[in-house]
Each structure stands twice: as structure tokens, then as C-alpha cells.
Amino acid sequence: MSTTDPSEARRVAAVQMQAVLGDVDANLEQAGRLVSEAARDGAEWIALPEFFTSGVAFLPSVAAAAQPIDGPAVQAMQSWAAAYDVLLSGSLLVRDPDGEVRNAVLLVDRTGIRGRHDKDLPTMWENALYVGGSDDGVVVVDDTTIGLAVCWELTRRQTVTRLAGRVDVVLGGSGWWTVPRWQPRRVFDAWDAANTARATEAPARFARHVGAAVVHASHSGEVACPMPGLPPLRYRGGFVPATGVWSADGTVLAMAPTPEPQVVVADLPLRRSAPVPPPGSYWLTPPGLLPLFAWHQQRWHGRRWYAKHQRSAPVA
């Protein structure tokens, strides 16, 4: 799927994946195939999803997918960028020399890593996988100022504050999961419908508040894992696909029409708009009762799980 704009434009692609949870090799194979497809379609900038090497769930295999910054995943990104002469973005769990794991959004071209943004606040069970960062996520590549942000960063006012009016484009992605279908089914289905709407509307809303185009990659597919801190409950659901390209005024230029793995390509005008002031609240849109409960309960549980199972000693 593609669109064309006759004015100054950059051909971009957003990648939609169905990750095999915790299987880095399988996910690198899938990502490499989709990057190749995007490059054949003429894309110069390609956004991979958040956690493109592992997917995201409360599973030991996902936690174990963390690797050093010079590990196989980043080497693969560099090889793809060099082979196709493209600029790639995507996030993965990186274990840094200080022993901490971070959700690192990397910007890579044929010369190597051009920029990095560590997601500022883990979402829900992500607290068991990594710790947050504090950088502003602004990277200048040649004559373009690029903002990096992923998933629930696109739903919080503090992300707007760091990027609004400063960037030409935002390269991002998500691994946004659904609300499980528990009882009473009617209530949970209503919560899931609101959650799905919030996920699919987030890139357009964020583009308007930041005043810059958004290229957003995402996951789709099923997810199953234990519920953190709430045995014997299990989560069964999936990822919300919201893969596409939006202009600075929030107009959708292209979106994935189905949940299957694919690339979405568009010719994107790099024209900023005047940022629309965000609401004064913490959230750009309220998450709802159940997500807010999970935000706090799973943060409490996840930080303790991380300290016990995921953090390691600094590298000498």
C-alpha cells in the first residue's frame, strides 16, 4: 500500500510484525524479510516495531532476549541499513555495561548507530523487563531532525513537551496489547474496544500535538502469559495493529488494512504544523479504570521482579 505527494517528500515505510515471543532468531528473520520488501518498494526510512526482536509479554524468554548493544540484533540492523542504504529505527531490549536493561529505540544507517532513545517509563508488565531512560529522543540526521518515541510515550503529555515544535518527523512503534476477555464479558469487551480505539488513534493525535509527521510500526498476533503478581490468572489476548504513516496535521496517509505481517509505504511530506496544545492532564487521553490499575499494580510487581531476575552486575 502506498501514497504519493508531488511536493518535497521522503519515501518511508512502517513494518507490521507478528513476533514469536522471545525467539530472537525467528524475529530477526521476519524483520529482515520485511525490511527487504520495504527497500524494494523504494523506502528510504523504515520503522520497525517496539521490541521487534522479542515481542513483549511477562515471560522469561522475553526477558532473556536482552542483548548487548553490539549483539546480533544491532549487527543485523546495521547490515540491513548498509545493504539497502536506508535509515532504520526500532526498539529492542539492550543490556548495557552498567548491568541494567533498557528499551532502546535505535536509529541506524549504513554508517552505524546514529541515535538512541531509551523509553522513559516501562508500561505495566514491562517493568519486569527493563528500566526507564531520561534522554529527549531528538536526533539530527543530515538536515532532518527526528524524534524517537514508542507506544505509551505517544499517550503522555511529557513526551509532547520534549518533542513539540522541535522535530520534522517521529519514528516510532508499539507492542500494545489488548484487554483480556474475562467475565463479565460485556464489561471487558467494552474496555477492550476503548483500549483498541486509544491505540489506533494515538499516532494521529500525537502528530497533531507535536506538529510533526509520525511513522508508526506495530505488532499484531496473539499473546499469552501469566498475569504478573496475580496467580493463577493468565493473560490471553493479542497486540493491537496500528501500523501506518500520518502527516503533521494528523491526516492518515497509509495504514495496514489487515493484521498480517506487512509493510506500509508512503511518500511523506516533511512539513511541520503548528503543534496543538495538549491537555493539562498527565495522559493525552484517559486510559480507563482497568489499564490504570494494571499500570500501578504491575509497576509495583515488575520493579521487584526485575531487581531479582533481570538486573545483572556491571561489566568490569
Side-chain angles (χ1 to χ4, degrees):
M1 165 181 292
S2 65
T3 63
T4 303
D5 187 282
S7 64
E8 297 178 7
R10 179 79 65 170
R11 177 156 286 197
V12 301
V15 171
Q16 183 163 284
M17 293 181 60
Q18 288 185 348
V20 181
L21 294 172
D23 190 333
V24 174
D25 291 340
N27 295 324
L28 288 180
E29 188 281 329
Q30 182 180 162
R33 174 170 47 82
L34 293 167
V35 167
S36 175
E37 180 181 337
R40 289 196 304 271
D41 286 342
E44 302 168 81
W45 296 349
I46 302 171
L48 291 162
E50 183 185 33
F51 304 110
F52 81 90
T53 60
S54 62
V56 60
F58 182 57
L59 292 170
S61 61
V62 172
Q67 55 186 261
I69 194 68
D70 58 353
V74 178
Q75 291 177 18
M77 291 183 75
Q78 293 173 328
S79 69
W80 300 332
Y84 305 118
D85 193 17
V86 295
L87 182 70
L88 287 172
S89 69
S91 100
L92 65 152
L93 293 171
V94 169
R95 185 175 298 281
D96 287 314
D98 62 0
E100 303 283 11
V101 177
R102 295 177 174 88
N103 181 4
V105 189
L106 301 180
L107 200 58
V108 176
D109 69 6
R110 58 184 173 79
T111 68
I113 297 175
R114 297 298 298 268
R116 169 177 172 171
H117 164 59
D118 296 332
K119 186 176 178 180
D120 59 356
L121 295 174
T123 300
M124 298 179 188
W125 60 44
E126 293 175 12
N127 284 274
L129 304 176
Y130 65 92
V131 297
S134 58
D135 61 275
D136 68 359
V138 176
V139 182
V140 178
V141 177
D142 301 326
D143 296 325
T144 305
T145 304
I146 298 171
L148 302 176
V150 287
C151 208
W152 275 35
E153 286 189 311
L154 276 64
T155 69
R156 290 187 268 109
R157 181 166 52 89
Q158 64 196 59
T159 318
V160 172
T161 299
R162 70 176 169 87
L163 295 180
R166 298 184 60 197
V167 299
D168 300 306
V169 64
V170 176
L171 300 182
S174 67
W176 189 312
W177 54 91
T178 61
V179 173
R181 298 196 72 197
W182 292 341
Q183 296 291 346
R185 186 66 56 83
R186 181 175 298 179
V187 172
F188 279 86
D189 283 353
W191 283 343
D192 184 54
N195 175 70
T196 297
R198 187 166 176 258
T200 54
E201 294 166 6
R205 182 178 293 107
F206 190 74
R208 292 191 293 270
H209 288 311
V210 173
V214 172
V215 183
H216 186 265
S218 67
H219 289 283
S220 65
E222 297 180 352
V223 183
C225 65
M227 282 298 294
L230 296 172
L233 287 178
R234 286 188 60 83
Y235 170 86
R236 293 187 183 277
F239 294 115
V240 180
T243 303
V245 182
W246 289 260
S247 64
D249 64 1
T251 300
V252 61
L253 300 181
M255 281 193 73
T258 64
E260 284 74 27
Q262 60 191 282
V263 296
V264 175
V265 179
D267 291 317
L268 178 65
L270 295 181
R271 292 194 295 266
R272 301 187 190 185
S273 294
V276 176
S281 57
Y282 183 82
W283 303 101
L284 300 181
T285 55
L289 183 62
L290 183 64
L292 278 180
F293 169 78
W295 171 268
H296 293 289
Q297 182 267 333
Q298 293 180 18
R299 178 175 60 181
W300 179 89
H301 173 273
R303 288 177 175 178
R304 286 153 181 79
W305 196 95
Y306 175 91
K308 183 177 181 180
H309 299 283
Q310 186 74 328
R311 180 183 289 126
S312 65
V315 177

